[in-house]
Amino acid sequence: MNVCYHFFIICSFFVWVMLTTVPLLKVHTAQAQQISKKIKKENKAVIIKKKQKKNIKKTNSSIDSPIIETLTNELDFLNKKLAPRLREKEAIDYIKNSKNNKAIDLLESLEDSSARSLLILAQAYENKGDYENQIRVLKQLVKKNKKNGLYLLELAKGFRKLYFKTGLFKYREEAITHINHILKLHKKYHEKAHLEMLNLLKYKEDSEETNYAILKLLQTLIREFGVKRTYVKDICKYFYLNKFYNQSLSGCKKAMKYDPKEPSNYIYYALSMEETEEIEENLKKAVRKFPKSLFVRLSIGQFFITQKDYKSALPHFNKALKIKSNSAEGQMGLAQSLFYNGKEKTSYKHFLKACMLDKPQMLWPFKQAKSILNQKSKFKLAGTFEKGITRCFLRAPKKTVKNI
C-alpha cells in the first residue's frame, strides 16, 4: 500500500513538472529563433558593407587609372569642340528661316570662331545686304589662309556686291584684284573666278570696250570649260552688241538649239539679219513663239520705232505694259508711239511715268518731245511738259541697282 502510494506521488509530480516546463520551452525556443534571425540580418548587413567598401576601393582605384583620366579629358575636350558646332547648326537654322540677325548675334559672341563659323557669319551679313561687315569677316578668313580659293572668291563677291550697291570704283578694283589672285593660284576655281569677273563687267554694258571684254571672256569660258547653255546665250547677245553680225547669226542659232525656250536668242538672231524685211519677219516669229515675253514685246516695239512705224509699235508697247506696268522702257515706248502718232497730250503721262521710273535714261527723250512741241508752236502743252520734266528732275529716284 505504501509502495503504491509513493509511486503515485512520484508520477503525479513528474506530470506536473512536464505540464509547467513545456510552454516555457516553447517560449524560449521562439525567442531563440528571433535572436537567430537578428544575428543573421546583422551578419548580412556587415557582409554588404564590406562588399560596398571593396567596390568603393575598386572604383577609386579605377578613377586613378591613366586610361580613365585620358578618356575623361578627351570627353571634356570634345564637349568644348561640340559647343561651337551646335551653335553653327543653330545659326544655319536661323539663316534658313531668314532670321539673319539672330544668326549674327549667335556667331559674333563666339570667343574663338572657326573658319566654318566665319563663313556662316559672312553669309548672314550677305543675306542682310550688309556687305561691309561681310567683307570684314571674310578678311579674317583670308588673313588666316591667304591661299584659300574659296575665301578669296567670297571676298571678291563681297567687293562686287558692295560696288553694285555704292557705285564706288575702288570696290570694283578690289574685286578685280582678288579675282586675278584666284586665277594665279587656283586652277580649281578658275571657272568661278571667270564668272565672277563676268558678273562684274555686265554691271556696265554701256561701252564698246566693256562689251568686247565680256565677249572675250565668254569665248575663254567656252574654250576652257565647254559649251554651256548660259555661255551660248550670252555669246549670242554679245556678238550682236559688238556688231559681229555673222558670228551673231551662227552663235544665236547654236543658242536656240541649246536653249529653245530662251526668247533673247531669237531676238538677237532676228536683229542680226541684214535686210529689214528679214528682221521684221523673224521678230514676228519670236512674238508668236513668246507672246507673253516682256523682252520680246519691247524689242519688236523698239524696232518699229527705229523704223518710224509708230502705229505698228503701239500695240506691242500696250501689251508690254500689261505684262509689267512699271517698265520704264514700256512706258517710254508707249509715250513715243502716242506722241508721234499725233496724240501728244495723251503721251504726257507716259513720258512722266517713264522718267520717274528711270530718270537717267528717260529724261532726254522727255526733253526732246518738249522741244518738238515748241517747234510746232504748241507752247501751252510744251509748258506742261516742262513742268513734268522739272518734277522728274527734282523728285524722281535714281534707277534702282540691278539684282545682285
Side-chain angles (χ1 to χ4, degrees):
M1 182 74 180
N2 288 330
V3 173
C4 291
Y5 175 76
H6 286 296
F7 178 77
F8 174 74
I9 292 298
I10 291 165
C11 288
S12 298
F13 178 76
F14 181 74
V15 170
W16 177 82
V17 170
M18 292 293 290
L19 289 172
T20 53
T21 55
V22 166
L24 288 172
L25 286 169
K26 286 182 179 179
V27 170
H28 287 300
T29 304
Q31 288 176 349
Q33 287 175 349
Q34 287 177 357
I35 290 166
S36 176
K37 285 180 180 177
K38 283 182 181 179
I39 290 167
K40 285 180 180 180
K41 284 182 180 179
E42 287 173 1
N43 288 337
K44 281 183 180 179
V46 170
I47 291 165
I48 289 166
K49 283 181 181 179
K50 285 181 180 179
K51 285 182 178 180
Q52 286 175 345
K53 284 180 181 179
K54 285 180 182 179
N55 289 336
I56 289 166
K57 285 180 182 179
K58 285 181 181 179
T59 306
N60 288 335
S61 64
S62 64
I63 287 170
D64 294 335
S65 73
I67 296 172
I68 295 299
E69 188 177 354
T70 303
L71 289 172
T72 304
N73 291 336
E74 284 183 3
L75 285 171
D76 290 340
F77 176 76
L78 286 171
N79 284 332
K80 287 178 183 177
K81 283 284 183 183
L82 189 61
R85 289 288 182 92
L86 291 172
R87 286 197 178 189
E88 288 165 8
K89 184 181 181 302
E90 192 177 352
I92 289 169
D93 289 337
Y94 280 138
I95 289 172
K96 285 179 179 177
N97 290 296
S98 301
K99 296 178 180 178
N100 294 295
N101 285 332
K102 286 193 172 184
I104 289 166
D105 292 340
L106 191 66
L107 294 174
E108 286 283 17
S109 64
L110 288 175
E111 291 181 6
D112 186 19
S113 297
S114 66
R116 190 186 300 100
S117 296
L118 291 171
L119 278 173
I120 297 166
L121 181 59
Q123 183 62 61
Y125 278 123
E126 183 185 346
N127 292 348
K128 277 188 67 184
D130 186 351
Y131 305 120
E132 290 91 344
N133 272 313
Q134 180 196 6
I135 289 166
R136 173 183 61 80
V137 173
L138 289 168
K139 278 183 175 179
Q140 293 178 45
L141 279 168
V142 172
K143 191 176 180 181
K144 289 181 178 180
N145 190 341
K146 294 180 180 179
K147 294 185 178 181
N148 187 296
L150 177 61
Y151 303 163
L152 289 167
L153 190 66
E154 287 297 309
L155 188 55
K157 184 170 71 171
F159 277 115
R160 172 175 63 83
K161 291 195 170 188
L162 190 56
Y163 166 58
F164 287 2
K165 183 179 178 180
T166 63
L168 295 176
F169 198 72
K170 63 179 181 178
Y171 297 129
R172 181 180 185 272
E173 293 304 297
E174 284 276 10
I176 291 172
T177 299
H178 287 95
I179 291 167
N180 288 332
H181 192 41
I182 295 164
L183 292 171
K184 287 178 184 177
L185 290 174
H186 299 281
K187 194 170 183 179
K188 177 183 175 183
Y189 291 99
H190 272 201
E191 185 173 13
K192 289 182 178 178
H194 282 310
L195 288 172
E196 194 58 47
M197 183 71 84
L198 189 64
N199 288 329
L200 190 64
L201 292 174
K202 279 184 177 181
Y203 178 63
K204 293 286 185 182
E205 296 178 356
D206 53 357
S207 73
E208 291 182 9
E209 185 181 353
T210 302
N211 286 335
Y212 186 71
I214 291 171
L215 179 60
K216 298 302 289 183
L217 187 53
L218 285 165
Q219 289 175 319
T220 301
L221 280 164
I222 291 171
R223 184 173 62 252
E224 292 188 11
F225 306 105
V227 178
K228 295 183 181 179
R229 189 172 64 181
T230 53
Y231 300 164
V232 292
K233 169 195 165 186
D234 279 345
I235 210 162
C236 161
K237 173 182 176 179
Y238 286 97
F239 270 134
Y240 169 74
L241 291 179
N242 283 285
K243 300 178 182 178
F244 299 140
Y245 298 124
N246 289 332
Q247 293 94 324
S248 177
L249 285 170
S250 60
C252 292
K253 263 189 177 179
K254 187 179 284 188
M256 284 153 57
K257 183 180 177 181
Y258 271 84
D259 191 1
K261 293 183 179 180
E262 173 52 51
S264 65
N265 295 331
Y266 296 82
I267 293 299
Y268 292 122
Y269 177 76
L271 294 174
S272 300
M273 298 282 180
E274 289 185 9
E275 299 295 329
T276 303
E277 290 179 1
E278 289 181 324
I279 294 172
E280 185 177 338
E281 183 184 343
N282 280 279
L283 285 172
K284 286 179 178 178
K285 283 181 182 178
V287 170
R288 287 194 293 272
K289 191 172 180 66
F290 306 101
K292 295 182 180 180
S293 167
L294 177 65
F295 179 72
V296 169
R297 290 290 181 183
L298 291 175
S299 297
I300 192 168
Q302 196 57 48
F303 167 75
F304 282 125
I305 281 183
T306 58
Q307 299 300 309
K308 298 185 178 180
D309 186 355
Y310 303 109
K311 189 175 180 180
S312 296
L314 195 60
H316 294 292
F317 286 118
N318 273 319
K319 288 187 178 177
L321 291 174
K322 284 181 181 178
I323 297 166
K324 186 181 178 182
S325 61
N326 65 341
S327 164
E329 294 86 353
Q331 291 289 351
M332 181 54 71
L334 183 58
Q336 290 175 322
S337 300
L338 289 166
F339 186 88
Y340 293 109
N341 268 310
K343 298 179 180 178
E344 294 102 334
K345 193 174 180 180
T346 310
S347 72
Y348 167 75
K349 64 179 182 180
H350 297 289
F351 275 114
L352 181 60
K353 280 183 183 179
C355 192
M356 295 294 279
L357 287 165
D358 184 2
K359 180 169 66 176
Q361 296 296 321
M362 305 303 170
L363 191 59
W364 169 247
F366 200 0
K367 288 180 177 180
Q368 198 175 26
K370 184 207 78 171
S371 297
I372 292 169
L373 289 171
N374 280 325
Q375 290 169 14
K376 290 182 176 181
S377 301
K378 295 183 178 182
F379 301 117
K380 187 176 180 180
L381 188 55
T384 303
F385 271 60
E386 180 61 41
K387 287 178 183 177
I389 290 164
T390 304
R391 180 182 168 191
C392 173
F393 183 78
L394 294 175
R395 298 187 185 180
K398 291 181 180 179
K399 188 176 181 180
T400 53
V401 176
K402 293 181 182 180
N403 291 332
I404 55 176

